[in-house]
Amino acid sequence: KMVDPTLAEMGKNLNEAMKMLEDNQRKVEEENAKYARKDIPGPLQGSGQDMVSILQLVQNLMHGEEEEETSQAYRLQNVGEQGHMALLGHSLAAYISVLDRERLRKLTTRILSDTTLWLCRLFRYENGSAYYHEDDREGLLKICRLVIHTRYEDYIVEGFNVLYAKQPVIYISSAARTGLGQALCNQLGLPLSCMCCVPCNTMFGSQHQMDVALLDRVIKDDVESGKLPLLLVANAGTPGAGHTDKLGRLKELCEQYNMWLHVEGVNLATLALGYVSSSVLAATKCDSMTLTLGSWLGLPAVPAVTLYRHEDPSLSLAAGLTSSQPVEKLRALPLWLSLQYLGHDGIVERIKHASQLSQRLLENLKNLDFIKTSVEDELSSPVVVFKFFWEYSDRDQTSHAAQASSIQHPIISNERHVYDTFNQWLGEQLAQLVPASGVDVVELEDEGTCVRFSPLMTSAVLGTEVQDVDQLVDCLKMKIPVLTSTLQLREEFEQEVRRTVGLLYVEDLVWPGLGVVRYSYHSDGKNYDKQEKELEKINTELLKKLNELESDLTFSSGPEFGGQKNCVYIGMVTEDLDVSELVETIAATGREIEENSRLLENMTEVVRKGIQEAQLQLQKANEERLLEEGLLRQIPVVGSVLNWFSPFQASPKGRTFNLTAGSLESTESTYVSKAQGTGTTPPPTPASSLAKQRLPGQKIFKRSLRNSDAFSETSSVSHCDDLDKMDQRPSPLSPGQEQGPLETEKTEEQKEVAQATQTDTEDRQSDKLPNDRTKVEEQESQR
């Protein structure tokens, strides 16, 4: 068959444009130099640009900063052939809109009727109409207007006066989307008192399902107070946990009070499968439902669809659900093309694949310890929500016997904050390690922070496969021991820090790690600003020193926003961490930094005072020299003649500053001996007592585990005994004790160094003697 040349060229141009935009590799840097100012708006060029240049600019705007942020994992949508069909639909809609009115009416009517028929059969919604909209909340907004027009017959004439006489009430679940009720009231022009938030179950059933008994009582109270129950919004898959309300009972309640039942949620996608749970199947009896096919099928830029049943087309037109403008009916064109491309089997296969992924993850999570799931149906749950949780009984059974007496359980009020922080870290780690899984972090009212896996919303977009789910489980198995070890050692770390002098434990419940510590600076009556500067300087240097150590721990200054200042944040740890050694190292390093800082400060003050004292002494010595020489020697001509007949012998007097002793000394000994005195020897820097002996291959802050694979139990004990003996051996020896091989070698080395130094000194003095004698003989000959 012949194809319209315009349509063929349009498809060709679209393929070329998509190929160019998806290719994020830059060809030549010189070609992109003219787009360097991509973030700065510029004037419109008068001569215009060709399509290639414009698409190149779009490409640079899309991928311009990927090279600068290569570490960030981007979730780019997998645009396949079905995505190209959806994008082609937007181009065709613009082309079709220029047809004559009669052709446009016939074409849009066919597209709208076909798409509506396919969707109603696919999702088991008989005799339904469809409204296509860009915003997924717009369909519910139009339904509310339809119900208002239906229940208030004089609304078209009298308007809001009718609503004032009998106030309408819209009921939504507390587990609904955030801000949904407020958005409806703002768009409808209703006060917030018209919105009633129904709590979820607290005693029986799922805690994410609407409490039907409570809803019944609330509706009765509203009817008795003269209000009009208008509409109920139920969930077939809550936005957070993916649970489905009891739609059957809610439908009976709506029929009893003549209310409209609207259903939305991700679980509506399972209506296309062969097996559907009874709770979701009840949604086919509701008055309206909203479907988001774009995320379920991985179709970009396709509209959401609201299916509804209503017999009066005039009220539907008044509510805005239908339109007499053919151009508005072209919204369904991208979806019409995509559904034909996928076919019935392709659509079902995509939804089935997503359901199998969630079921596979749920089966693997059942075999993992310390993982608590929150699913509605164990057999088929499209959304899997899980979290890390460690019961007190399990914690006591798995903890070491030596630590069981010292570790106390955290305060119950703070326990949820700690678990929320740990699960937030777990979700971010899983999303970073397995980006194709599409997991994210969700905040639930009762469970707190959890990790959510919703393949119906992400698998078609990200291309999630079974291998990604298995990789997600493997990463989860790797992170669980780290979480348990860190949670177990947090209390021990807090107690060790509180017992250590010079360290201050900072409680930060939102930090996912071992804890937060600060080295407390001992101020000597200094003002607050100076004390804060010294504290910041010491803790910054402490953080730098700790990061230079060869350990598996991560030390940081905390989060960018909301963290404590001048603190050292310690990240996640493993079970072989030696907490006492870690705390002792932090304290010793902080003390060393503080001592060095004070030494430098004291030395600066001493040098300043020494310079002032030296100036006074030199001025006094100069005055004494003038008195000894006499007044005649100060006269220019007379002094020269007098010095020639009777030279005045005076030794040069100066001052030298001894940094070690902090005192001024005369330079007469220096001129006499022709060498500068060394003064007292500075005391050696005290070595840290933390340099303890380690096993071969053992890193810092690691304690030897008896069950370790690297060392057997016998070898570990023998090594530890040897190290204890070496630690107990006294270092200074009395005259009557014998020296070991190590001490003997050190003594001999010290003797050799001393002999070499003495020999070098004698050679230097012998070299200087002839020169000194020559100078003395020359002076005597001149006299």
Side-chain angles (χ1 to χ4, degrees), residues 632-647:
L632 295 177
R633 294 184 183 272
Q634 308 306 321
I635 301 175
V637 180
V638 178
S640 300
V641 176
L642 186 59
N643 288 332
W644 183 76
F645 282 105
S646 175

Side-chain angles (χ1 to χ4, degrees), residues 241-243 266-267 270 275 277 354-362 374-385 453-456:
H243 291 202
V266 65
N267 293 349
T270 58
Y275 168 77
S277 61
S355 301
Q356 290 175 350
L357 291 178
S358 60
Q359 191 64 26
R360 184 179 183 88
L361 178 62
L362 184 59
S374 175
V375 293
E376 181 182 11
D377 188 0
E378 296 288 341
L379 299 179
S380 62
S381 179
V383 181
V384 179
V385 176
F453 177 67
S454 181
L456 277 173

Side-chain angles (χ1 to χ4, degrees), residues 276-287:
V276 186
S277 61
S278 58
S279 59
V280 180
L281 188 60
T284 58
K285 304 299 180 181
C286 66
D287 298 303

Side-chain angles (χ1 to χ4, degrees), residues 32-46:
N32 300 330
K34 56 183 178 180
Y35 305 114
R37 299 184 302 165
K38 55 183 178 296
D39 296 331
I40 303 176
L44 182 64
Q45 296 186 9

